Amino acid sequence: MRSLDNFSAVCKGFYVCGRDQELWKLACAKIWGSNNINNYLPMYSSWRQMYLKRARLNLDGVYISKTTYAREGERSLDNFYKPWHLVEFYRYLRFFPDGTVLFLTSPDEPKIVVGKLKQPSNLSNLTQNFYNQFISNEQSIVKGKWTLALSKVCLVLVKKTQIKNTLTSKVGRKKEKETIQEQEHVYRMEFELTGKMNNQLQWKKYEIDTVNKSSNSVNTAIFDLNKIDFPNFYFSRVKSYSINSDAPLK
């Protein structure tokens, strides 16, 4: 839609085409779905104003949160001084029109990470193999779904892990038996969409459910959301995300 506004600035004829209400209605349906957008139209003067004014997630970039904290180091041998380390890491959120969201926590800077936050189905075989290798690392991309109600953004993401345990039998000959314990981590996040041009996500809720498949037990961790450990996400546009269109707007 950014290019549509640029297109309408060329001449009067293009301006009329760029203000076609049917185009903006299709854009609104792409963002909020075609079932309920008619209920919100009386609140705005046109479909274009709804698209520009109503709270919506930006899909042509990444929301980034940078966290910085100081960590105490090990004392020197003579106990003369004690070093402190400044630790920085990033949280990344990328949203897709089909309701998919990718979440990543990494010490790597945005210029390294943004190229990796892509849907696997949109990648070539070579990139697909790299993606599978990348998500198998400790710094894994977690995939889930997002919903938007007014200015409230809700995320549910699922990550499955396997923990290998080795049991040693002391009766008779020592035998080692390896067991695999499956765990499922369910991340539940809630944000408030704020800022100019919907460029900020403010933490409202964050909890993780750890489901142990073998014992059918669930442990829930609820985080205290302070500004130091959980700063706001800020949107950063990525041009490569909007270079090519998958299909015409329908």
Side-chain angles (χ1 to χ4, degrees), residues 86-132:
L86 188 64
V87 182
E88 293 182 350
F89 68 90
Y90 299 84
R91 296 185 179 98
Y92 299 91
L93 283 171
R94 185 184 177 188
F95 299 90
F96 294 88
D98 62 353
T100 301
V101 59
L102 299 181
F103 174 65
L104 173 65
T105 300
S106 172
D108 295 332
E109 295 183 351
K111 62 181 180 181
I112 301 176
V113 173
V114 292
K116 303 171 184 176
L117 295 175
K118 297 180 180 180
Q119 284 273 45
S121 59
N122 296 336
L123 304 180
S124 63
N125 292 332
L126 178 62
T127 314
Q128 173 73 57
N129 295 333
F130 173 78
Y131 181 88
N132 292 334

Side-chain angles (χ1 to χ4, degrees), residues 72-85:
E72 183 179 353
E74 186 179 354
R75 289 181 177 272
S76 61
L77 295 177
D78 55 4
N79 289 329
F80 184 73
Y81 73 96
K82 179 173 61 177
W84 287 82
H85 305 283

Side-chain angles (χ1 to χ4, degrees), residues 188-205:
R188 306 181 191 276
M189 309 177 191
E190 290 185 8
F191 301 94
E192 186 74 20
L193 191 57
T194 61
K196 186 179 180 181
M197 301 299 292
N198 307 302
N199 68 333
Q200 292 186 43
L201 288 174
Q202 183 179 359
W203 286 94
K204 290 299 180 183
K205 181 181 179 181

Side-chain angles (χ1 to χ4, degrees), residues 59-235:
L59 307 179
D60 57 344
V62 183
Y63 287 87
I64 303 172
S65 174
K66 180 181 178 181
T67 302
T68 304
Y69 66 93
R71 180 174 61 84
E72 183 179 353
E74 186 179 354
R75 289 181 177 272
S76 61
L77 295 177
D78 55 4
N79 289 329
F80 184 73
Y81 73 96
K82 179 173 61 177
W84 287 82
H85 305 283
L86 188 64
V87 182
E88 293 182 350
F89 68 90
Y90 299 84
R91 296 185 179 98
Y92 299 91
L93 283 171
R94 185 184 177 188
F95 299 90
F96 294 88
D98 62 353
T100 301
V101 59
L102 299 181
F103 174 65
L104 173 65
T105 300
S106 172
D108 295 332
E109 295 183 351
K111 62 181 180 181
I112 301 176
V113 173
V114 292
K116 303 171 184 176
L117 295 175
K118 297 180 180 180
Q119 284 273 45
S121 59
N122 296 336
L123 304 180
S124 63
N125 292 332
L126 178 62
T127 314
Q128 173 73 57
N129 295 333
F130 173 78
Y131 181 88
N132 292 334
Q133 181 181 0
F134 182 76
I135 64 175
S136 65
N137 295 337
E138 186 178 354
Q139 303 171 2
S140 60
I141 298 176
V142 186
K143 188 177 181 180
K145 291 292 183 180
W146 64 268
T147 57
L148 175 63
L150 297 178
S151 60
K152 182 180 178 182
V153 184
C154 298
L155 277 61
V156 178
L157 308 103
V158 179
K159 177 184 178 183
K160 296 181 180 180
T161 58
Q162 291 183 343
I163 301 176
K164 293 183 180 180
N165 297 322
T166 303
L167 301 177
T168 303
S169 175
K170 295 183 179 180
V171 180
R173 292 184 177 181
K174 290 186 177 181
K175 296 182 179 180
E176 292 186 353
K177 183 179 179 181
E178 189 177 83
T179 60
I180 298 177
Q181 182 180 2
E182 293 186 357
Q183 284 188 346
E184 187 176 86
H185 302 277
V186 182
Y187 300 80
R188 306 181 191 276
M189 309 177 191
E190 290 185 8
F191 301 94
E192 186 74 20
L193 191 57
T194 61
K196 186 179 180 181
M197 301 299 292
N198 307 302
N199 68 333
Q200 292 186 43
L201 288 174
Q202 183 179 359
W203 286 94
K204 290 299 180 183
K205 181 181 179 181
Y206 184 27
E207 62 182 42
I208 301 177
D209 296 334
T210 303
V211 182
N212 194 323
K213 296 291 186 178
S214 58
S215 61
N216 292 325
S217 61
V218 180
N219 296 322
T220 301
I222 302 176
F223 294 86
D224 181 19
L225 302 177
N226 56 74
K227 293 291 185 180
I228 299 177
D229 296 327
F230 296 91
N232 291 353
F233 284 81
Y234 290 88
F235 179 74

